[in-house]
Amino acid sequence: MLKRSWVEIDLNVLKNNWKILRQEVPPDRRIMAVVKADAYGHGACEIAQVLQELGCTDFAVSNPEEALALREAGITGQILVLGWTPPEYVGLLCKAGITQALLSEEYALSLSGKGLKAQFALDTGMNRIGLDAEDPEACERVIRRFASSFELTGLFTHLCAADTPEQDAFTRLQIERFRAVAERVKDLGLKDLHCMNSAGALRFPPYGDLMRLGIVLYGLRPDPSVELPAGIRPVLAWKSVISMIKTVHAGETIGYGRAFRAEHEIRVATIPTGYADGYNRLLSGTGIVLLRGERLPVLGRVCMDQMMVDVTGVPDAVTGEVVTLLGGGYSAEDMADMIGTIGYEVVCGIGKRVPRVFMHK
Ligand SMILES: *Cc1c(COP(=O)(O)O)cnc(C)c1O
């Protein structure tokens, strides 16, 4: 089925990534698959179902809607909501057996007493959410205060610079702060202590019962400086087609604002994908699209629903031919690099109106 603009999710690549990571992580630790934001744009339900088949029992999302969608899709293991849930949702979370992060003492109080499964977030230096781990005594007091008004299953923290070698001393301090609080409440027998994201798991000695892996599962690096284990590959490719080809003569301009002017005669292909599909408008005049392995420069401004590329280098290109916007040697990281962002934002930004096609289902 030929589509206008679509994302191909290669589930075989996902399975292979999982198997490689499963070998990297010590066998006595679980991997918690981070599938928030629709699995970083890859399709959370399908990704979680495949990982569940491979033995994954722990999943993390950002909000209650994402958690409930996974339950409905047949995910039976632990589903942890990492972020804030409005207190009115507590009943729904309890009913679906979802685990909620407790962001502060005040927040814990607003959710307490309903037997909700929960884990305390500890703030070890990111200053986003969690009990302030710089004061381990206070953390212990709060954890004990709520130990019986929730089904308390764990503690976690988030490393904010684990991908940056110059910050390694700070990362070790974060892990140490986490460990200090965990030690104080050891007698509670909390089974899920976790502090490692992808970069932490790849770059630091293992600590905790589970590793929260997001970006590496999808085959991307947390930062260009972080080496991925051999064999890990990107799961996602973004494709579109050539809708029209024409000759543009020297002196003519292309697109909005006439931002590109042809210096000599060129062949121009129109691609029916634009910034409303999540193709970032900052790629105007700098992006590239792959056709038969050739890199075609984006000409002028990316439109809402279309863009134009220089196809002069492929003289026999035809209408209807498939082009690659991401994948085939041009990764989300490469695209991110061109526009000053990170691969995470590129894949999360692919729009809802771009269908996800699951290969090797
Ligand atoms: C998103 C997120 C992760 C996963 O991070 P990656 O870098 O994608 O592995 C882990 N923990 C928390 C709290 C997160 O918000």
Side-chain angles (χ1 to χ4, degrees), residues 34 36 40 82 128 158 197-198 212-215 344:
V34 180
K36 64 192 179 192
Y40 298 28
L82 295 166
R128 184 169 69 176
H158 194 43
N197 51 15
S198 294
R212 297 190 308 271
L213 303 187
I215 200 80
Y344 295 76

PDB file of all heavy atoms in Angstrom, residues 34 36 40 82 128 158 197-198 212-215 344, ligand 1:
ATOM      1  N   VAL A  34      10.942   2.280  28.566  1.00  0.00           N
ATOM      2  CA  VAL A  34      10.316   3.604  28.637  1.00  0.00           C
ATOM      3  C   VAL A  34       9.587   3.841  27.311  1.00  0.00           C
ATOM      4  O   VAL A  34      10.215   3.981  26.261  1.00  0.00           O
ATOM      5  CB  VAL A  34      11.366   4.699  28.917  1.00  0.00           C
ATOM      6  CG1 VAL A  34      10.696   6.062  28.998  1.00  0.00           C
ATOM      7  CG2 VAL A  34      12.104   4.393  30.226  1.00  0.00           C
ATOM      8  N   LYS A  36       6.981   6.166  26.960  1.00  0.00           N
ATOM      9  CA  LYS A  36       6.221   7.427  27.021  1.00  0.00           C
ATOM     10  C   LYS A  36       6.214   8.089  25.635  1.00  0.00           C
ATOM     11  O   LYS A  36       7.013   7.713  24.756  1.00  0.00           O
ATOM     12  CB  LYS A  36       6.868   8.356  28.048  1.00  0.00           C
ATOM     13  CG  LYS A  36       8.277   8.778  27.676  1.00  0.00           C
ATOM     14  CD  LYS A  36       8.997   9.442  28.845  1.00  0.00           C
ATOM     15  CE  LYS A  36      10.404   9.823  28.429  1.00  0.00           C
ATOM     16  NZ  LYS A  36      11.235  10.195  29.581  1.00  0.00           N
ATOM     17  N   TYR A  40       8.275   7.254  22.022  1.00  0.00           N
ATOM     18  CA  TYR A  40       9.128   8.199  21.294  1.00  0.00           C
ATOM     19  C   TYR A  40       8.705   8.249  19.821  1.00  0.00           C
ATOM     20  O   TYR A  40       9.550   8.268  18.903  1.00  0.00           O
ATOM     21  CB  TYR A  40      10.614   7.820  21.397  1.00  0.00           C
ATOM     22  CG  TYR A  40      11.216   7.825  22.790  1.00  0.00           C
ATOM     23  CD1 TYR A  40      10.457   7.588  23.919  1.00  0.00           C
ATOM     24  CD2 TYR A  40      12.581   8.059  22.986  1.00  0.00           C
ATOM     25  CE1 TYR A  40      11.020   7.587  25.197  1.00  0.00           C
ATOM     26  CE2 TYR A  40      13.155   8.065  24.259  1.00  0.00           C
ATOM     27  CZ  TYR A  40      12.361   7.819  25.350  1.00  0.00           C
ATOM     28  OH  TYR A  40      12.916   7.805  26.612  1.00  0.00           O
ATOM     29  N   LEU A  82       5.627   8.133  35.302  1.00  0.00           N
ATOM     30  CA  LEU A  82       6.802   8.866  35.792  1.00  0.00           C
ATOM     31  C   LEU A  82       6.469  10.298  36.192  1.00  0.00           C
ATOM     32  O   LEU A  82       7.209  10.920  36.951  1.00  0.00           O
ATOM     33  CB  LEU A  82       7.876   8.911  34.700  1.00  0.00           C
ATOM     34  CG  LEU A  82       8.502   7.577  34.277  1.00  0.00           C
ATOM     35  CD1 LEU A  82       9.268   7.763  32.977  1.00  0.00           C
ATOM     36  CD2 LEU A  82       9.407   7.042  35.365  1.00  0.00           C
ATOM     37  N   ARG A 128      13.798  18.689  39.290  1.00  0.00           N
ATOM     38  CA  ARG A 128      12.554  18.620  38.523  1.00  0.00           C
ATOM     39  C   ARG A 128      11.432  18.098  39.422  1.00  0.00           C
ATOM     40  O   ARG A 128      10.545  18.845  39.787  1.00  0.00           O
ATOM     41  CB  ARG A 128      12.755  17.735  37.282  1.00  0.00           C
ATOM     42  CG  ARG A 128      11.545  17.688  36.381  1.00  0.00           C
ATOM     43  CD  ARG A 128      11.848  17.034  35.052  1.00  0.00           C
ATOM     44  NE  ARG A 128      12.116  15.600  35.150  1.00  0.00           N
ATOM     45  CZ  ARG A 128      12.340  14.812  34.093  1.00  0.00           C
ATOM     46  NH1 ARG A 128      12.311  15.319  32.873  1.00  0.00           N
ATOM     47  NH2 ARG A 128      12.586  13.519  34.247  1.00  0.00           N
ATOM     48  N   HIS A 158      16.318  10.334  38.686  1.00  0.00           N
ATOM     49  CA  HIS A 158      16.659  10.510  37.272  1.00  0.00           C
ATOM     50  C   HIS A 158      18.007  11.219  37.168  1.00  0.00           C
ATOM     51  O   HIS A 158      18.224  12.253  37.807  1.00  0.00           O
ATOM     52  CB  HIS A 158      15.561  11.331  36.582  1.00  0.00           C
ATOM     53  CG  HIS A 158      15.628  11.284  35.080  1.00  0.00           C
ATOM     54  ND1 HIS A 158      15.868  10.121  34.383  1.00  0.00           N
ATOM     55  CD2 HIS A 158      15.450  12.243  34.143  1.00  0.00           C
ATOM     56  CE1 HIS A 158      15.855  10.372  33.079  1.00  0.00           C
ATOM     57  NE2 HIS A 158      15.611  11.658  32.898  1.00  0.00           N
ATOM     58  N   ASN A 197      19.036   5.651  33.336  1.00  0.00           N
ATOM     59  CA  ASN A 197      18.435   5.815  32.011  1.00  0.00           C
ATOM     60  C   ASN A 197      19.399   5.174  30.997  1.00  0.00           C
ATOM     61  O   ASN A 197      20.357   4.502  31.388  1.00  0.00           O
ATOM     62  CB  ASN A 197      18.183   7.299  31.723  1.00  0.00           C
ATOM     63  CG  ASN A 197      19.422   8.150  31.966  1.00  0.00           C
ATOM     64  OD1 ASN A 197      20.542   7.637  32.086  1.00  0.00           O
ATOM     65  ND2 ASN A 197      19.239   9.438  32.052  1.00  0.00           N
ATOM     66  N   SER A 198      19.163   5.397  29.707  1.00  0.00           N
ATOM     67  CA  SER A 198      20.025   4.748  28.704  1.00  0.00           C
ATOM     68  C   SER A 198      21.489   5.100  28.914  1.00  0.00           C
ATOM     69  O   SER A 198      22.358   4.226  28.946  1.00  0.00           O
ATOM     70  CB  SER A 198      19.614   5.170  27.278  1.00  0.00           C
ATOM     71  OG  SER A 198      18.333   4.697  26.972  1.00  0.00           O
ATOM     72  N   ARG A 212      15.931   1.836  33.433  1.00  0.00           N
ATOM     73  CA  ARG A 212      14.858   2.447  32.609  1.00  0.00           C
ATOM     74  C   ARG A 212      15.438   2.847  31.260  1.00  0.00           C
ATOM     75  O   ARG A 212      16.064   3.893  31.144  1.00  0.00           O
ATOM     76  CB  ARG A 212      14.301   3.694  33.303  1.00  0.00           C
ATOM     77  CG  ARG A 212      13.641   3.442  34.645  1.00  0.00           C
ATOM     78  CD  ARG A 212      12.915   4.692  35.114  1.00  0.00           C
ATOM     79  NE  ARG A 212      13.735   5.889  35.100  1.00  0.00           N
ATOM     80  CZ  ARG A 212      14.494   6.306  36.110  1.00  0.00           C
ATOM     81  NH1 ARG A 212      14.551   5.623  37.232  1.00  0.00           N
ATOM     82  NH2 ARG A 212      15.206   7.410  35.994  1.00  0.00           N
ATOM     83  N   LEU A 213      15.209   2.007  30.271  1.00  0.00           N
ATOM     84  CA  LEU A 213      15.804   2.279  28.967  1.00  0.00           C
ATOM     85  C   LEU A 213      14.759   2.817  27.993  1.00  0.00           C
ATOM     86  O   LEU A 213      13.724   2.207  27.777  1.00  0.00           O
ATOM     87  CB  LEU A 213      16.446   1.015  28.394  1.00  0.00           C
ATOM     88  CG  LEU A 213      17.522   0.359  29.268  1.00  0.00           C
ATOM     89  CD1 LEU A 213      18.193  -0.780  28.514  1.00  0.00           C
ATOM     90  CD2 LEU A 213      18.563   1.385  29.729  1.00  0.00           C
ATOM     91  N   GLY A 214      15.068   3.962  27.407  1.00  0.00           N
ATOM     92  CA  GLY A 214      14.222   4.555  26.379  1.00  0.00           C
ATOM     93  C   GLY A 214      14.941   4.576  25.052  1.00  0.00           C
ATOM     94  O   GLY A 214      14.896   3.630  24.266  1.00  0.00           O
ATOM     95  N   ILE A 215      15.692   5.634  24.837  1.00  0.00           N
ATOM     96  CA  ILE A 215      16.237   5.931  23.510  1.00  0.00           C
ATOM     97  C   ILE A 215      17.048   4.780  22.896  1.00  0.00           C
ATOM     98  O   ILE A 215      16.955   4.529  21.694  1.00  0.00           O
ATOM     99  CB  ILE A 215      17.061   7.258  23.557  1.00  0.00           C
ATOM    100  CG1 ILE A 215      17.216   7.862  22.169  1.00  0.00           C
ATOM    101  CG2 ILE A 215      18.402   7.070  24.243  1.00  0.00           C
ATOM    102  CD1 ILE A 215      16.042   8.635  21.675  1.00  0.00           C
ATOM    103  N   TYR A 344      15.889  12.595  20.127  1.00  0.00           N
ATOM    104  CA  TYR A 344      14.631  12.377  20.872  1.00  0.00           C
ATOM    105  C   TYR A 344      13.526  13.281  20.307  1.00  0.00           C
ATOM    106  O   TYR A 344      12.401  12.845  20.077  1.00  0.00           O
ATOM    107  CB  TYR A 344      14.789  12.776  22.337  1.00  0.00           C
ATOM    108  CG  TYR A 344      15.746  12.020  23.226  1.00  0.00           C
ATOM    109  CD1 TYR A 344      17.118  12.211  23.141  1.00  0.00           C
ATOM    110  CD2 TYR A 344      15.271  11.177  24.218  1.00  0.00           C
ATOM    111  CE1 TYR A 344      17.992  11.573  24.023  1.00  0.00           C
ATOM    112  CE2 TYR A 344      16.135  10.526  25.105  1.00  0.00           C
ATOM    113  CZ  TYR A 344      17.493  10.733  25.001  1.00  0.00           C
ATOM    114  OH  TYR A 344      18.348  10.108  25.867  1.00  0.00           O
TER     115      TYR A 344
HETATM  116  C1  LIG B   1      12.455   9.551  29.555  1.00  0.00           C
HETATM  117  C2  LIG B   1      12.968   9.010  30.822  1.00  0.00           C
HETATM  118  C3  LIG B   1      13.831   7.907  30.836  1.00  0.00           C
HETATM  119  C4  LIG B   1      14.420   7.302  29.591  1.00  0.00           C
HETATM  120  O1  LIG B   1      15.498   8.076  29.148  1.00  0.00           O
HETATM  121  P1  LIG B   1      16.388   7.604  27.892  1.00  0.00           P
HETATM  122  O2  LIG B   1      17.465   8.587  27.817  1.00  0.00           O
HETATM  123  O3  LIG B   1      15.465   7.653  26.709  1.00  0.00           O
HETATM  124  O4  LIG B   1      16.818   6.220  28.179  1.00  0.00           O
HETATM  125  C5  LIG B   1      14.170   7.360  32.058  1.00  0.00           C
HETATM  126  N1  LIG B   1      13.703   7.898  33.208  1.00  0.00           N
HETATM  127  C6  LIG B   1      12.890   8.966  33.229  1.00  0.00           C
HETATM  128  C7  LIG B   1      12.422   9.516  34.533  1.00  0.00           C
HETATM  129  C8  LIG B   1      12.511   9.570  32.048  1.00  0.00           C
HETATM  130  O5  LIG B   1      11.721  10.655  32.083  1.00  0.00           O
END
